[in-house]
Amino acid sequence: MPEDAAAEIARLQRRALRERAARREAEALLEVRSRELYEANVALTRLAGSLEAQVEARTRELEAAVARANEAARAKSNFLATMSHELRTPMIGVLGAAQLLLGTPLTPEQQAHAATIGASGDLLLSLINDILDLSKIEAGHLELESRPFDPRASLASIDSLLRGSAVGRGIYFLVQVDDAVPERLVGDDMRLRQVLLNLASNAVKFTSRGGVVVRLTAGPPDEEGRVPVELTVKDTGIGIPGDRLEAVFDPFAQADASTSREYGGTGLGLSICRRIAKLMQGSLELQSTPGVGSQFLLRWRASPAAAAASPTLSCAAGTSSVPADAPSGAPALRILLAEDNEINREIACALLERLGLQPDVAEDGQSALDKVRAGSYDLVLMDVRMPRMDGLESTRHIRSLALARQPHVVALTANAYEEDRQECLAAGMDDFLAKPYRLDDLALLLDKVRRQREPRLA
């Protein structure tokens, strides 16, 4: 064989050997990689199964945690409702008896003692309301109403409540409402009054010279028709240091530890006011200089409402009294009082008698239903929580009766939250009066019922 041919064959043989070796090496590497990939796939499958099991377990844990949280929220709501009822119920006896006592012939010393009982009861009720409101806000269960109200009447009610205290402290108390403020706004009148009363009463309490000015202003409407509203409460009181301006809005906080000793209070009011302002989609700001005074500014946007043809009556505590006497020659209201608590029943009857009325009495919802079926009443004052049949069920049965004229049914309840009011209205009740109520509250309610039932009672 020629040498060049032999050399070529040898080169090709070496090449073939190298290729076979490379192929065997590649096959071995492929086998290793395939085995690694298989093992990785097996591991991933096992890991995926494990992760799925962990996710399922975690999901079950989260669902259980959410269920526990919801149950805790329901328990808290039920607790707050129970506490509201149980704390307010004895206050009816305290405040009602004090008010009745003040209406009897007393010596100056007895008069002072009775007034002290009433004032202390008011403070205790205010504290109860603050604690329950704060708990409800923190639980996210406080919702604001949206209904037309008269802002000038709101400020007038605060003026009537605090002017006497201001005069007693030797300071002035001025309430100003600009002409630009609409006659009626849409919002939560009760919560607005709560904020205003807290700010204004604090201003009076911390002012010993000069006075307090409460001013309500409004700007031009925006594209949505809402007007910017500003409520300013300015005093010439003791003032607050700059490093404590935000701290006063914290729950249970006050500007100084000595404040509670000298002026009283728990420090809850301003925290609640700011949170209500946020629920109004507004803001509450504070400016203050020690020794000069403080200014609180509440800003929010409100929609104007159509002006009312006649003043809207309210049963909110603290409004001015409206005579309950029927017009001359008009028949008196026939009233049924459904109340299972003996003390509350005696207080309610005494207050009604003070207004010149003699109510019939039912001790539970079933008795109230029987009396309405047998008689003819203009007004049923219906307690909500009663044995045998509660006030809601009794009202629903009353509304199903074929009566010549249905009575006006008003809920009397120590459960004073908005959902309680809505539940009462949904059951067919016409109105809602939160316990503890006062003589003025009943007078306003009776006048409202009498007007609505005209001309029969006119």
Side-chain angles (χ1 to χ4, degrees):
M1 179 180 300
E3 288 184 7
D4 55 347
E8 180 64 20
I9 291 173
R11 188 182 65 78
L12 293 174
Q13 287 176 340
R14 289 193 299 272
R15 180 178 177 181
L17 289 173
R18 288 196 302 272
E19 289 178 352
R20 281 196 296 271
R23 186 168 59 249
R24 285 194 297 269
E25 185 179 348
E27 289 174 350
L29 182 60
L30 179 60
E31 184 178 353
V32 171
R33 293 290 184 265
S34 296
R35 186 181 302 112
E36 290 176 351
L37 182 59
Y38 171 76
E39 292 174 352
N41 285 334
V42 171
L44 286 173
T45 301
R46 291 173 179 170
L47 179 60
S50 175
L51 288 175
E52 287 179 2
Q54 291 179 38
V55 169
E56 290 178 0
R58 184 59 177 163
T59 299
R60 288 193 295 270
E61 291 176 2
L62 291 175
E63 289 175 347
V66 170
R68 289 193 299 270
N70 289 336
E71 181 61 30
R74 285 191 293 270
K76 184 173 184 178
S77 295
N78 292 335
F79 172 77
L80 289 175
T82 301
M83 288 300 295
S84 174
H85 185 274
E86 297 304 317
L87 289 171
R88 289 172 181 273
T89 296
M91 294 305 298
I92 300 170
V94 174
L95 295 177
Q99 189 170 14
L100 289 169
L101 187 60
L102 286 168
T104 63
L106 299 173
T107 66
E109 182 180 5
Q110 292 170 333
Q111 186 85 10
H113 291 330
T116 299
I117 293 173
S120 299
D122 286 335
L123 289 175
L124 179 57
L125 181 61
S126 177
L127 176 59
I128 291 170
N129 290 338
D130 281 349
I131 292 174
L132 293 173
D133 275 347
L134 182 63
S135 299
K136 198 165 184 65
I137 290 172
E138 290 181 341
H141 294 155
L142 182 65
E143 296 181 359
L144 301 186
E145 294 184 3
S146 183
R147 58 174 62 185
F149 70 94
D150 182 352
R152 288 172 174 79
S154 302
L155 268 68
S157 68
I158 303 303
D159 182 49
S160 64
L161 280 173
L162 297 180
R163 182 173 294 277
S165 298
V167 171
R169 292 180 61 83
I171 62 176
Y172 59 81
F173 188 83
L174 301 178
V175 174
Q176 302 171 342
V177 181
D178 284 5
D179 293 339
V181 177
E183 291 186 21
R184 289 168 67 78
L185 297 172
V186 176
D188 193 324
D189 183 33
M190 184 187 74
R191 293 300 176 184
L192 178 60
R193 293 188 194 212
Q194 179 180 355
V195 172
L196 176 55
L197 179 60
N198 190 286
L199 298 179
S201 61
N202 274 351
V204 171
K205 181 168 65 173
F206 291 107
T207 302
S208 58
R209 58 172 182 78
V212 177
V213 177
V214 178
R215 187 181 182 193
L216 188 66
T217 63
D222 59 18
E223 295 178 355
E224 298 177 356
R226 298 181 304 169
V227 295
V229 185
E230 292 188 357
L231 175 66
T232 305
V233 178
K234 186 175 183 179
D235 65 62
T236 57
I238 61 175
I240 301 170
D243 60 349
R244 299 293 299 168
L245 291 181
E246 284 301 312
V248 299
F249 292 105
D250 295 334
F252 302 104
Q254 293 183 323
D256 190 289
S258 62
T259 299
S260 60
R261 292 193 297 270
E262 182 175 354
Y263 296 98
T266 62
L268 282 174
L270 291 179
S271 175
I272 294 172
C273 288
R274 172 163 278 187
R275 298 188 190 203
I276 291 175
K278 289 182 178 179
L279 289 174
M280 296 167 63
Q281 298 182 339
S283 63
L284 179 60
E285 301 170 2
L286 167 61
Q287 299 173 351
S288 186
T289 303
V292 177
S294 302
Q295 175 176 288
F296 286 88
L297 179 59
L298 172 65
R299 290 190 177 100
W300 80 103
R301 288 184 176 271
S303 298
S310 59
T312 301
L313 295 177
S314 169
C315 293
T319 50
S320 58
S321 177
V322 176
D325 299 334
S328 178
L333 289 173
R334 287 206 61 202
I335 299 177
L336 173 64
L337 171 66
E339 171 66 76
D340 66 304
N341 185 287
E342 183 178 358
I343 293 177
N344 294 350
R345 195 165 55 243
E346 291 177 358
I347 293 295
C349 286
L351 291 174
L352 288 168
E353 289 171 3
R354 184 69 60 83
L355 295 171
L357 298 165
Q358 296 288 334
D360 290 340
V361 173
E363 298 182 2
D364 56 57
Q366 182 62 57
S367 298
L369 174 61
D370 295 339
K371 287 181 177 290
V372 171
R373 182 184 287 115
S376 176
Y377 293 99
D378 299 299
L379 172 63
V380 178
L381 297 173
M382 183 77 77
D383 186 26
V384 173
R385 292 190 180 184
M386 292 185 289
R388 284 215 295 167
M389 180 185 293
D390 65 29
L392 299 175
E393 184 178 356
S394 180
T395 300
R396 284 190 284 265
H397 283 294
I398 289 173
R399 293 309 186 209
S400 68
L401 297 177
L403 303 175
R405 190 176 192 188
Q406 280 280 342
H408 198 93
V409 180
V410 175
L412 300 180
T413 177
N415 293 339
Y417 290 132
E418 174 60 19
E419 57 263 34
D420 301 312
R421 191 184 73 85
Q422 293 297 335
E423 188 177 23
C424 292
L425 297 178
M429 295 183 177
D430 299 287
D431 217 330
F432 179 96
L433 190 59
K435 298 176 181 177
Y437 47 83
R438 305 174 185 278
L439 193 66
D440 283 355
D441 303 330
L442 280 176
L444 282 167
L445 174 65
L446 295 174
D447 185 74
K448 179 179 179 180
V449 173
R450 183 173 288 110
R451 291 173 185 271
Q452 291 180 347
R453 297 186 74 83
E454 293 174 347
R456 177 189 168 195
L457 298 174

